[in-house]
Amino acid sequence: MLFSGVFTAIVTPFKNGQVDEETFRALIDWQIAEGVSGLVPCGTTGESATLSHDEHKRVVEICVDQVKGRVKVLAGAGSNNTTEAIHLTEFAQKAGADGALLITPYYNKPTQEGLYQHYAAIARAVDLPLVCYNVPGRTGCNMLPATVVRLAKEFKNFVGIKEATANMTQASDILAHCPEDFCVLSGDDFTALPLMSIGGCGVISVTSNILPRAMSDMCKAFAAGDYAQAKKLHYQLLPVHHAMFLESNPIPVKMSLNFMGKIGPEMRLPLFPMAEANQEKLRAVLKEAGLL
């Protein structure tokens, strides 16, 4: 599989309103040392929605430069504007990313034919491997298996999907009909193990921002056929997965990294630091996980 294992949907640290490059580079090195298979800069967890285009490009450049080929870089490049998505994907290719992660167009609520034409236009514009990101809870549209299969069969560089519906029936239909080397990655930490059990190849993870080793160990245990260990780690990680969504992602994970001394506390409006009661819940979970 081109993309498999744990890909961290890495946060974007800020300092005094700017991207904190030094801290970001340190985070990248720590993630790699802890065994992740890849990094996803400029995703939802990286606050892509509040990055300027110049900042977005710089974050991708920093990530590719710091990784230096040690792991894969799957750069966030999606938009609800097809022309803009093409531009960001072309940049990701120029910057040296290994692939681009492309969210389904949000707010527009396109038809399935509109979704097909959106991704087809991007696939024709670049040679870069493309991974769709299907997350109806954020976008208001669901990319159905028939559309995914159509794209996978028609475009060699349409190589995978980040499936965040938590719907194993939908994921099964994709896996059953796409080419064997098509990558189906979980878009939810909760469903990483269930999805791998039906043929998925890994996860684009929020939790691995703070527990990269444990998430990587779970995926590696499954890949090695040690299903008992994978299941054990899945349930050990479950309270942390829940804590990462005490409030909207990436608020809890950025606050966790701040509590751990990895990044500063800044995030961009309209995101806002957690309520005190939820901070107490988060600290308790992190302490139980041995992170504080």
Side-chain angles (χ1 to χ4, degrees):
M1 293 288 184
L2 184 58
F3 301 114
S4 62
V6 173
F7 277 67
T8 299
I10 194 164
V11 301
T12 303
F14 298 117
K15 185 176 182 180
N16 300 322
Q18 306 296 316
V19 173
D20 184 348
E21 181 171 333
E22 182 180 352
T23 297
F24 188 45
R25 288 182 182 274
L27 271 184
I28 289 166
D29 284 342
W30 178 61
Q31 286 284 322
I32 295 171
E34 290 292 294
V36 301
S37 301
L39 295 168
V40 181
C42 298
T44 304
T45 311
E47 292 175 84
S48 58
T50 55
L51 295 176
S52 70
H53 282 182
D54 286 344
E55 287 175 327
H56 180 118
K57 292 174 181 178
R58 184 59 187 148
V59 168
V60 171
E61 283 180 333
I62 293 167
C63 190
V64 171
D65 178 66
Q66 192 66 24
V67 165
K68 292 181 173 61
R70 291 176 289 171
V71 297
K72 298 277 180 68
V73 176
L74 185 60
S79 173
N80 64 340
N81 175 329
T82 304
T83 301
E84 185 175 280
I86 290 171
H87 172 72
L88 292 173
T89 306
E90 288 174 335
F91 179 82
Q93 181 169 352
K94 180 181 177 182
D98 298 286
L101 182 67
L102 298 155
I103 195 165
T104 54
Y106 41 89
Y107 192 77
N108 313 60
K109 298 183 77 173
T111 63
Q112 293 302 305
E113 184 62 26
L115 288 170
Y116 168 81
Q117 295 295 343
H118 172 78
Y119 287 107
I122 301 168
R124 292 186 188 107
V126 298
D127 297 327
L128 194 66
L130 307 178
V131 176
C132 165
Y133 176 18
N134 188 36
V135 57
R138 280 190 180 264
T139 65
C141 72
N142 183 15
M143 190 162 167
L144 298 177
T147 307
V148 179
V149 173
R150 182 182 175 192
L151 285 159
K153 289 184 174 180
E154 291 185 22
F155 297 96
K156 289 183 179 179
N157 59 334
F158 190 81
V159 301
I161 185 168
K162 177 184 177 183
E163 180 58 41
T165 60
N167 184 331
M168 293 299 113
T169 302
Q170 180 158 316
S172 295
D173 286 339
I174 293 168
L175 285 158
H177 299 291
C178 281
E180 280 191 21
D181 59 351
F182 190 78
C183 311
V184 179
L185 295 152
S186 175
D188 295 297
D189 286 295
F190 303 96
T191 60
L193 183 59
L195 187 61
M196 287 190 293
S197 76
I198 60 171
C201 58
V203 58
I204 295 177
S205 172
V206 174
T207 297
S208 62
N209 274 282
I210 60 171
L211 284 168
R213 177 70 65 186
M215 285 298 298
S216 296
D217 285 350
M218 184 190 74
C219 287
K220 288 172 183 174
F222 184 88
D226 190 348
Y227 305 132
Q229 177 66 5
K231 185 173 76 170
K232 178 183 176 182
L233 287 167
H234 168 76
Y235 284 111
Q236 285 179 355
L237 287 160
L238 199 58
V240 181
H241 297 338
H242 284 297
M244 292 304 96
F245 291 89
L246 282 167
E247 293 183 9
S248 299
N249 178 48
I251 297 169
V253 73
K254 288 199 86 171
M255 295 208 73
S256 297
L257 286 165
N258 177 237
F259 294 158
M260 292 165 63
K262 296 286 187 185
I263 68 171
E266 285 186 37
M267 55 193 78
R268 285 189 173 169
L269 289 169
L271 298 184
F272 193 75
M274 294 175 79
E276 190 61 40
N278 281 336
Q279 287 193 41
E280 291 177 13
K281 292 177 185 177
L282 180 61
R283 284 183 181 276
V285 172
L286 297 178
K287 191 171 291 186
E288 182 67 25
L291 294 171
L292 297 181

PDB file of all heavy atoms in Angstrom, residues 217-239:
ATOM      1  N   ASP A 217       2.116   1.392  17.539  1.00  0.00           N
ATOM      2  CA  ASP A 217       2.224   0.015  18.027  1.00  0.00           C
ATOM      3  C   ASP A 217       0.945  -0.778  17.761  1.00  0.00           C
ATOM      4  O   ASP A 217       1.001  -1.966  17.442  1.00  0.00           O
ATOM      5  CB  ASP A 217       2.534   0.001  19.520  1.00  0.00           C
ATOM      6  CG  ASP A 217       3.986   0.370  19.830  1.00  0.00           C
ATOM      7  OD1 ASP A 217       4.795   0.445  18.882  1.00  0.00           O
ATOM      8  OD2 ASP A 217       4.292   0.587  21.017  1.00  0.00           O
ATOM      9  N   MET A 218      -0.215  -0.114  17.893  1.00  0.00           N
ATOM     10  CA  MET A 218      -1.470  -0.806  17.627  1.00  0.00           C
ATOM     11  C   MET A 218      -1.553  -1.252  16.168  1.00  0.00           C
ATOM     12  O   MET A 218      -1.897  -2.401  15.868  1.00  0.00           O
ATOM     13  CB  MET A 218      -2.667   0.092  17.956  1.00  0.00           C
ATOM     14  CG  MET A 218      -4.006  -0.617  17.779  1.00  0.00           C
ATOM     15  SD  MET A 218      -5.425   0.494  17.885  1.00  0.00           S
ATOM     16  CE  MET A 218      -5.316   1.346  16.314  1.00  0.00           C
ATOM     17  N   CYS A 219      -1.216  -0.331  15.261  1.00  0.00           N
ATOM     18  CA  CYS A 219      -1.277  -0.673  13.832  1.00  0.00           C
ATOM     19  C   CYS A 219      -0.240  -1.720  13.460  1.00  0.00           C
ATOM     20  O   CYS A 219      -0.515  -2.631  12.668  1.00  0.00           O
ATOM     21  CB  CYS A 219      -1.094   0.588  12.985  1.00  0.00           C
ATOM     22  SG  CYS A 219      -2.526   1.673  13.001  1.00  0.00           S
ATOM     23  N   LYS A 220       0.951  -1.617  14.045  1.00  0.00           N
ATOM     24  CA  LYS A 220       1.997  -2.593  13.755  1.00  0.00           C
ATOM     25  C   LYS A 220       1.639  -3.969  14.313  1.00  0.00           C
ATOM     26  O   LYS A 220       1.933  -4.999  13.680  1.00  0.00           O
ATOM     27  CB  LYS A 220       3.330  -2.099  14.313  1.00  0.00           C
ATOM     28  CG  LYS A 220       3.908  -0.930  13.528  1.00  0.00           C
ATOM     29  CD  LYS A 220       5.132  -0.326  14.204  1.00  0.00           C
ATOM     30  CE  LYS A 220       5.637   0.892  13.438  1.00  0.00           C
ATOM     31  NZ  LYS A 220       6.741   1.591  14.146  1.00  0.00           N
ATOM     32  N   ALA A 221       1.003  -4.003  15.477  1.00  0.00           N
ATOM     33  CA  ALA A 221       0.575  -5.286  16.043  1.00  0.00           C
ATOM     34  C   ALA A 221      -0.448  -5.954  15.128  1.00  0.00           C
ATOM     35  O   ALA A 221      -0.371  -7.156  14.861  1.00  0.00           O
ATOM     36  CB  ALA A 221      -0.002  -5.085  17.442  1.00  0.00           C
ATOM     37  N   PHE A 222      -1.392  -5.159  14.629  1.00  0.00           N
ATOM     38  CA  PHE A 222      -2.391  -5.723  13.723  1.00  0.00           C
ATOM     39  C   PHE A 222      -1.734  -6.247  12.453  1.00  0.00           C
ATOM     40  O   PHE A 222      -2.013  -7.363  11.999  1.00  0.00           O
ATOM     41  CB  PHE A 222      -3.460  -4.690  13.367  1.00  0.00           C
ATOM     42  CG  PHE A 222      -4.557  -5.267  12.513  1.00  0.00           C
ATOM     43  CD1 PHE A 222      -5.661  -5.857  13.090  1.00  0.00           C
ATOM     44  CD2 PHE A 222      -4.464  -5.246  11.126  1.00  0.00           C
ATOM     45  CE1 PHE A 222      -6.658  -6.429  12.305  1.00  0.00           C
ATOM     46  CE2 PHE A 222      -5.449  -5.812  10.334  1.00  0.00           C
ATOM     47  CZ  PHE A 222      -6.551  -6.403  10.924  1.00  0.00           C
ATOM     48  N   ALA A 223      -0.835  -5.454  11.880  1.00  0.00           N
ATOM     49  CA  ALA A 223      -0.166  -5.852  10.642  1.00  0.00           C
ATOM     50  C   ALA A 223       0.655  -7.120  10.829  1.00  0.00           C
ATOM     51  O   ALA A 223       0.800  -7.927   9.894  1.00  0.00           O
ATOM     52  CB  ALA A 223       0.722  -4.717  10.137  1.00  0.00           C
ATOM     53  N   ALA A 224       1.186  -7.328  12.044  1.00  0.00           N
ATOM     54  CA  ALA A 224       1.987  -8.516  12.341  1.00  0.00           C
ATOM     55  C   ALA A 224       1.134  -9.728  12.707  1.00  0.00           C
ATOM     56  O   ALA A 224       1.672 -10.811  12.958  1.00  0.00           O
ATOM     57  CB  ALA A 224       2.964  -8.205  13.474  1.00  0.00           C
ATOM     58  N   GLY A 225      -0.176  -9.540  12.754  1.00  0.00           N
ATOM     59  CA  GLY A 225      -1.067 -10.647  13.090  1.00  0.00           C
ATOM     60  C   GLY A 225      -1.276 -10.849  14.577  1.00  0.00           C
ATOM     61  O   GLY A 225      -1.885 -11.841  14.995  1.00  0.00           O
ATOM     62  N   ASP A 226      -0.765  -9.913  15.394  1.00  0.00           N
ATOM     63  CA  ASP A 226      -0.957 -10.000  16.841  1.00  0.00           C
ATOM     64  C   ASP A 226      -2.249  -9.261  17.200  1.00  0.00           C
ATOM     65  O   ASP A 226      -2.233  -8.147  17.733  1.00  0.00           O
ATOM     66  CB  ASP A 226       0.245  -9.396  17.572  1.00  0.00           C
ATOM     67  CG  ASP A 226       0.232  -9.677  19.071  1.00  0.00           C
ATOM     68  OD1 ASP A 226      -0.812 -10.143  19.575  1.00  0.00           O
ATOM     69  OD2 ASP A 226       1.259  -9.411  19.726  1.00  0.00           O
ATOM     70  N   TYR A 227      -3.363  -9.892  16.897  1.00  0.00           N
ATOM     71  CA  TYR A 227      -4.664  -9.230  17.045  1.00  0.00           C
ATOM     72  C   TYR A 227      -5.010  -8.981  18.508  1.00  0.00           C
ATOM     73  O   TYR A 227      -5.669  -7.988  18.826  1.00  0.00           O
ATOM     74  CB  TYR A 227      -5.751 -10.062  16.358  1.00  0.00           C
ATOM     75  CG  TYR A 227      -5.436 -10.340  14.903  1.00  0.00           C
ATOM     76  CD1 TYR A 227      -5.543 -11.624  14.381  1.00  0.00           C
ATOM     77  CD2 TYR A 227      -5.001  -9.319  14.055  1.00  0.00           C
ATOM     78  CE1 TYR A 227      -5.228 -11.882  13.047  1.00  0.00           C
ATOM     79  CE2 TYR A 227      -4.693  -9.569  12.734  1.00  0.00           C
ATOM     80  CZ  TYR A 227      -4.801 -10.857  12.234  1.00  0.00           C
ATOM     81  OH  TYR A 227      -4.482 -11.105  10.923  1.00  0.00           O
ATOM     82  N   ALA A 228      -4.554  -9.849  19.402  1.00  0.00           N
ATOM     83  CA  ALA A 228      -4.838  -9.657  20.832  1.00  0.00           C
ATOM     84  C   ALA A 228      -4.171  -8.382  21.342  1.00  0.00           C
ATOM     85  O   ALA A 228      -4.778  -7.601  22.082  1.00  0.00           O
ATOM     86  CB  ALA A 228      -4.355 -10.867  21.630  1.00  0.00           C
ATOM     87  N   GLN A 229      -2.923  -8.156  20.931  1.00  0.00           N
ATOM     88  CA  GLN A 229      -2.222  -6.949  21.349  1.00  0.00           C
ATOM     89  C   GLN A 229      -2.852  -5.705  20.724  1.00  0.00           C
ATOM     90  O   GLN A 229      -2.978  -4.669  21.384  1.00  0.00           O
ATOM     91  CB  GLN A 229      -0.742  -7.038  20.973  1.00  0.00           C
ATOM     92  CG  GLN A 229       0.081  -5.809  21.306  1.00  0.00           C
ATOM     93  CD  GLN A 229       0.214  -5.527  22.797  1.00  0.00           C
ATOM     94  OE1 GLN A 229      -0.234  -6.311  23.625  1.00  0.00           O
ATOM     95  NE2 GLN A 229       0.819  -4.402  23.146  1.00  0.00           N
ATOM     96  N   ALA A 230      -3.235  -5.809  19.457  1.00  0.00           N
ATOM     97  CA  ALA A 230      -3.885  -4.675  18.798  1.00  0.00           C
ATOM     98  C   ALA A 230      -5.182  -4.311  19.510  1.00  0.00           C
ATOM     99  O   ALA A 230      -5.466  -3.130  19.734  1.00  0.00           O
ATOM    100  CB  ALA A 230      -4.155  -5.006  17.332  1.00  0.00           C
ATOM    101  N   LYS A 231      -5.940  -5.317  19.869  1.00  0.00           N
ATOM    102  CA  LYS A 231      -7.207  -5.067  20.576  1.00  0.00           C
ATOM    103  C   LYS A 231      -6.955  -4.470  21.959  1.00  0.00           C
ATOM    104  O   LYS A 231      -7.655  -3.536  22.386  1.00  0.00           O
ATOM    105  CB  LYS A 231      -8.011  -6.361  20.698  1.00  0.00           C
ATOM    106  CG  LYS A 231      -9.387  -6.157  21.313  1.00  0.00           C
ATOM    107  CD  LYS A 231     -10.233  -7.421  21.257  1.00  0.00           C
ATOM    108  CE  LYS A 231      -9.823  -8.427  22.294  1.00  0.00           C
ATOM    109  NZ  LYS A 231     -10.795  -9.546  22.403  1.00  0.00           N
ATOM    110  N   LYS A 232      -5.940  -4.972  22.644  1.00  0.00           N
ATOM    111  CA  LYS A 232      -5.599  -4.442  23.966  1.00  0.00           C
ATOM    112  C   LYS A 232      -5.253  -2.958  23.882  1.00  0.00           C
ATOM    113  O   LYS A 232      -5.744  -2.136  24.677  1.00  0.00           O
ATOM    114  CB  LYS A 232      -4.423  -5.230  24.544  1.00  0.00           C
ATOM    115  CG  LYS A 232      -3.941  -4.740  25.902  1.00  0.00           C
ATOM    116  CD  LYS A 232      -2.726  -5.545  26.360  1.00  0.00           C
ATOM    117  CE  LYS A 232      -2.180  -5.008  27.675  1.00  0.00           C
ATOM    118  NZ  LYS A 232      -0.965  -5.767  28.111  1.00  0.00           N
ATOM    119  N   LEU A 233      -4.436  -2.586  22.889  1.00  0.00           N
ATOM    120  CA  LEU A 233      -4.045  -1.189  22.733  1.00  0.00           C
ATOM    121  C   LEU A 233      -5.236  -0.325  22.312  1.00  0.00           C
ATOM    122  O   LEU A 233      -5.365   0.822  22.761  1.00  0.00           O
ATOM    123  CB  LEU A 233      -2.920  -1.071  21.709  1.00  0.00           C
ATOM    124  CG  LEU A 233      -1.552  -1.568  22.190  1.00  0.00           C
ATOM    125  CD1 LEU A 233      -0.582  -1.715  21.030  1.00  0.00           C
ATOM    126  CD2 LEU A 233      -0.980  -0.645  23.253  1.00  0.00           C
ATOM    127  N   HIS A 234      -6.099  -0.873  21.469  1.00  0.00           N
ATOM    128  CA  HIS A 234      -7.303  -0.147  21.047  1.00  0.00           C
ATOM    129  C   HIS A 234      -8.115   0.285  22.267  1.00  0.00           C
ATOM    130  O   HIS A 234      -8.534   1.454  22.367  1.00  0.00           O
ATOM    131  CB  HIS A 234      -8.145  -1.044  20.129  1.00  0.00           C
ATOM    132  CG  HIS A 234      -9.529  -0.534  19.858  1.00  0.00           C
ATOM    133  ND1 HIS A 234      -9.787   0.506  18.997  1.00  0.00           N
ATOM    134  CD2 HIS A 234     -10.739  -0.934  20.341  1.00  0.00           C
ATOM    135  CE1 HIS A 234     -11.085   0.734  18.953  1.00  0.00           C
ATOM    136  NE2 HIS A 234     -11.683  -0.133  19.757  1.00  0.00           N
ATOM    137  N   TYR A 235      -8.312  -0.630  23.198  1.00  0.00           N
ATOM    138  CA  TYR A 235      -9.137  -0.296  24.365  1.00  0.00           C
ATOM    139  C   TYR A 235      -8.382   0.567  25.376  1.00  0.00           C
ATOM    140  O   TYR A 235      -8.999   1.376  26.070  1.00  0.00           O
ATOM    141  CB  TYR A 235      -9.695  -1.578  25.008  1.00  0.00           C
ATOM    142  CG  TYR A 235     -10.839  -2.137  24.191  1.00  0.00           C
ATOM    143  CD1 TYR A 235     -10.710  -3.324  23.488  1.00  0.00           C
ATOM    144  CD2 TYR A 235     -12.039  -1.440  24.091  1.00  0.00           C
ATOM    145  CE1 TYR A 235     -11.748  -3.812  22.715  1.00  0.00           C
ATOM    146  CE2 TYR A 235     -13.086  -1.914  23.326  1.00  0.00           C
ATOM    147  CZ  TYR A 235     -12.937  -3.105  22.633  1.00  0.00           C
ATOM    148  OH  TYR A 235     -13.978  -3.566  21.866  1.00  0.00           O
ATOM    149  N   GLN A 236      -7.075   0.433  25.439  1.00  0.00           N
ATOM    150  CA  GLN A 236      -6.295   1.331  26.290  1.00  0.00           C
ATOM    151  C   GLN A 236      -6.368   2.769  25.787  1.00  0.00           C
ATOM    152  O   GLN A 236      -6.395   3.716  26.577  1.00  0.00           O
ATOM    153  CB  GLN A 236      -4.835   0.872  26.336  1.00  0.00           C
ATOM    154  CG  GLN A 236      -4.585  -0.350  27.187  1.00  0.00           C
ATOM    155  CD  GLN A 236      -3.119  -0.779  27.176  1.00  0.00           C
ATOM    156  OE1 GLN A 236      -2.291  -0.208  26.462  1.00  0.00           O
ATOM    157  NE2 GLN A 236      -2.800  -1.796  27.962  1.00  0.00           N
ATOM    158  N   LEU A 237      -6.400   2.921  24.473  1.00  0.00           N
ATOM    159  CA  LEU A 237      -6.420   4.253  23.858  1.00  0.00           C
ATOM    160  C   LEU A 237      -7.810   4.881  23.837  1.00  0.00           C
ATOM    161  O   LEU A 237      -7.943   6.098  23.640  1.00  0.00           O
ATOM    162  CB  LEU A 237      -5.882   4.162  22.427  1.00  0.00           C
ATOM    163  CG  LEU A 237      -4.377   3.960  22.295  1.00  0.00           C
ATOM    164  CD1 LEU A 237      -4.027   3.392  20.916  1.00  0.00           C
ATOM    165  CD2 LEU A 237      -3.638   5.257  22.545  1.00  0.00           C
ATOM    166  N   LEU A 238      -8.836   4.090  24.032  1.00  0.00           N
ATOM    167  CA  LEU A 238     -10.212   4.574  23.866  1.00  0.00           C
ATOM    168  C   LEU A 238     -10.542   5.800  24.719  1.00  0.00           C
ATOM    169  O   LEU A 238     -11.136   6.766  24.211  1.00  0.00           O
ATOM    170  CB  LEU A 238     -11.199   3.433  24.141  1.00  0.00           C
ATOM    171  CG  LEU A 238     -12.621   3.591  23.599  1.00  0.00           C
ATOM    172  CD1 LEU A 238     -12.626   3.774  22.081  1.00  0.00           C
ATOM    173  CD2 LEU A 238     -13.461   2.361  23.978  1.00  0.00           C
ATOM    174  N   PRO A 239     -10.159   5.850  26.009  1.00  0.00           N
ATOM    175  CA  PRO A 239     -10.468   7.066  26.786  1.00  0.00           C
ATOM    176  C   PRO A 239      -9.809   8.314  26.212  1.00  0.00           C
ATOM    177  O   PRO A 239     -10.380   9.411  26.276  1.00  0.00           O
ATOM    178  CB  PRO A 239      -9.916   6.742  28.182  1.00  0.00           C
ATOM    179  CG  PRO A 239      -9.852   5.252  28.247  1.00  0.00           C
ATOM    180  CD  PRO A 239      -9.527   4.811  26.848  1.00  0.00           C
TER     181      PRO A 239
END
